[in-house]
Amino acid sequence: MKEHLRKFIDYLSLNRNVSAHTADAYASDVQQFLTFAGSHLEKKELSPQDIDLDLIRAFMGDLHRKGQSRASASRKLSALRTFMKYLKREGWIAIDPAALAVSPTREQKVPAPLSMDEMSRLLDMPDPSDPPGRRDRPIL
């Protein structure tokens, strides 16, 4: 699989014209998956046919257990999807198992409410002596 990964990174750099940083990130993410897969399957040498949807889901679960953010897990899955599409396009696999993998939903962070003191300061900020202040005060 190391040879496939090397050719994939060359493909990204030469054919898709990605930056060196992007190519490095893809290589790192896919290598992390391949390391996990070898350990999970207890194999030293993986073949493209060893990769299936269950293995991808196990990898995503492992990322969650290790405390990776949803955004990081989603990025790693995106890199893996691109790699699997490449393997399919090159004829190394017949079916792309990553196409069925579901990305983690993005976290929606709710902003913290203002304290009473902060709210009072905000409402007192517009200067009623100038036109913008007279306009802003009723808006707030």
Side-chain angles (χ1 to χ4, degrees), residues 6 21 23 39 47 57 65-66 70 119 128 132:
R6 188 187 61 72
H21 273 311
S39 166
S47 73
R57 286 180 177 158
R65 278 189 296 281
K66 289 180 177 177
R70 291 179 184 181
M119 183 60 76

Side-chain angles (χ1 to χ4, degrees), residues 99-113:
L100 299 174
V102 178
S103 290
T105 56
R106 295 200 53 111
E107 298 173 79
Q108 299 290 328
K109 295 185 179 179
V110 178

Side-chain angles (χ1 to χ4, degrees), residues 3-24:
E3 183 64 22
H4 295 303
L5 179 57
R6 188 187 61 72
K7 288 181 179 180
F8 169 65
I9 298 305
D10 289 344
Y11 162 78
L12 289 177
S13 299
L14 300 174
N15 296 348
R16 299 225 359 225
N17 200 28
V18 300
S19 71
H21 273 311
T22 301
D24 290 344

Side-chain angles (χ1 to χ4, degrees), residues 62-98:
D62 186 59
L63 292 176
H64 178 73
R65 278 189 296 281
K66 289 180 177 177
Q68 289 279 317
S69 71
R70 291 179 184 181
S72 294
S74 186
R75 189 197 77 228
K76 290 174 191 301
L77 180 58
S78 177
L80 185 56
R81 280 186 180 138
T82 305
F83 180 59
M84 297 308 293
K85 282 180 191 175
Y86 168 79
L87 291 177
K88 183 177 179 192
R89 187 176 67 77
E90 294 296 315
W92 290 100
I93 56 174
I95 298 171
D96 178 2

